[in-house]
Each structure stands twice: as C-alpha cells, then as structure tokens.
C-alpha cells in the first residue's frame, strides 16, 4: 500500500465544503438566518434586508472551488502550490460559514480540511504544479 497524500485528501474535503458553502449561500438568499440568533439579534442585519453574509459565503465558496480544482490560470501558480496561503485563507472562510445557519456544516468540513492541510504542511508535503499529480522522485542508482 502507498502512503496517504494528505494534501490530496484535504483538497477533496475542501472541495466538498466549498460545494456545500455555495449551495448554503444560495439557500440563504431565500431563507436568511444567522446561526447565533438564539443568543443575540445584533447580527441579523448581516443577512436581512441586504444579503451581505450570503454574498460573502457565495464568493468564498466559488473561490475555494476555483482554487482546489484549479482553473486553468490558477493551476501551477504559486498561490495554487502554497499550503501556507491555504492555511491563512481557510479560517476566514470557516468564520464566514459558521455565522450563517445554512452553512455551519461547511464550516466544520473546512476546519477538518484545515487540520489535514496543517498535517500535510508539518510533514513537509508539497503541492505539485500539475494538479492531482504526485511529486516525482529521482531514481536511485541512475545517473
């Protein structure tokens, strides 16, 4: 059996959470609700009458989809290959997702993906320039 490539696993988790976040943002346009409304009503203006939080979640979800299943102009770029950039951006998307009632599951998935990305980063994994490929190692004994 091979080794677990943690950045590929985290990428799949984040792709799932991004799709969930986009669908939750669309649902939030029709049924706006803050997750923490049972504690306070001060956050209600973020979803009603102007859907600010829904738009932010929609944008974050689309950015994550474009980043993790890289679009042509992102594939191979330094931002696509950077685990550090992902570790800095994912807490912001998770914060936006946890505020809206419909997207709390997406926030949980993003935090799990963030943990797996941190695990990959701490073990020295790299993201290859060509998406969904493995890093090539030199063959020992050949010159």
């Amino acid at each position: 059996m091979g080794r677990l490539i943690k950045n590929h696993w985290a990428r799949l988790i984040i792709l799932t959470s991004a799709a969930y976040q986009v669908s939750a943002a669309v649902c939030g346009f029709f049924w706006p609700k803050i997750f923490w409304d049972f504690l306070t009503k001060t956050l209600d203006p973020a979803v009603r009458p102007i859907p600010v939080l829904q738009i932010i979640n929609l944008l974050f979800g689309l950015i994550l989809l474009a980043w993790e299943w890289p679009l042509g102009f992102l594939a191979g770029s330094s931002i696509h290959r950077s685990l550090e950039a992902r570790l800095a951006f994912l807490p912001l998307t998770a914060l936006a997702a946890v505020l809206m009632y419909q997207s709390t599951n997406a926030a949980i998935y993003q935090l799990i993906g963030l943990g797996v990305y941190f695990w990959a980063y701490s073990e020295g994994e790299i993201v290859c320039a060509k998406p969904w490929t493995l890093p090539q190692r030199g063959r020992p004994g050949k010159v």
Side-chain angles (χ1 to χ4, degrees), residues 48-64:
R48 222 180 288 131
I50 301 169
V52 175
L53 195 55
Q54 293 93 319
I55 293 170
I56 290 171
N57 274 302
L58 182 65
L59 290 176
F60 277 166
L62 292 174
I63 288 169
L64 284 177

Side-chain angles (χ1 to χ4, degrees), residues 8-18 109-110 112-114 116:
H8 285 190
W9 181 36
R11 182 176 289 167
L12 292 172
I13 294 170
I14 298 299
L15 276 171
T16 304
S17 74
Y109 299 152
Q110 287 171 1
I112 292 169
L114 178 68
V116 176

Side-chain angles (χ1 to χ4, degrees), residues 7-8 44 61-62 70 75 77 135:
N7 69 56
H8 285 190
D44 280 351
L62 292 174
S77 66

Side-chain angles (χ1 to χ4, degrees), residues 77-96:
S77 66
S78 62
I79 192 82
H80 172 253
R81 291 181 284 124
S82 174
L83 286 175
E84 295 89 351
R86 286 177 169 92
L87 291 174
F89 186 68
L90 280 172
L92 299 175
T93 62
L95 176 65

